[in-house]
Amino acid sequence: MTLIISATNRLNSNTLKVAKYYQKILKAKGTEASVLSLTDLPENLIVSDLYGKRSADFQNIQQLVSAADKFLFVIPEYNGSFPGVLKVFMDACDFPQSFYGKKLH
């Protein structure tokens, strides 16, 4: 399964629209694809899910990440870089099994 990550927590973002468009294209080609919007992250992520902690809210997200074979990141440019919430999300995921050895697009 390909997991498409909309890498911003901005509500109603164009990034999410693009991620959903990619999902539609992949499904039309017969590829299973899910979208994860970083708007779905727990509000208290930096307290509840970093440094070995795991909340029930994030566990569902972690299961999606763990089940993915491939990732497609849709990342907006913020101030010449990427959104900080993407780094926090990646730090909250189990390491190294979440991303190690999986394909990135």
Side-chain angles (χ1 to χ4, degrees):
M1 185 262 304
T2 298
L3 182 60
I4 304 166
I5 298 175
S6 174
T8 180
N9 59 344
R10 181 174 290 184
L11 296 176
N12 303 313
S13 70
N14 287 327
T15 302
L16 182 56
K17 292 174 188 173
V18 171
K20 288 180 178 181
Y21 178 76
Y22 269 104
Q23 181 186 33
K24 183 179 174 183
I25 297 295
L26 288 174
K27 284 189 176 187
K29 293 183 177 224
T31 301
E32 182 184 354
S34 295
V35 173
L36 171 62
S37 173
L38 296 190
T39 60
D40 296 332
L41 294 175
E43 288 184 20
N44 60 344
L45 179 70
I46 62 172
V47 174
S48 64
D49 290 283
L50 294 179
Y51 312 112
K53 299 177 188 175
R54 181 64 68 228
S55 69
D57 290 337
F58 193 81
Q59 186 57 40
N60 293 332
I61 294 169
Q62 180 61 59
Q63 288 172 349
L64 249 178
V65 171
S66 295
D69 299 319
K70 299 176 184 177
F71 296 97
L72 191 151
F73 287 85
V74 181
I75 306 171
E77 181 267 330
Y78 282 2
N79 300 321
S81 187
F82 58 87
V85 71
L86 176 59
K87 173 74 166 100
V88 172
F89 161 71
M90 293 179 84
D91 285 346
C93 289
D94 290 339
F95 179 81
Q97 61 272 24
S98 292
F99 300 103
Y100 187 77
K102 297 182 180 184
K103 296 189 182 243
L104 302 175
H105 295 278

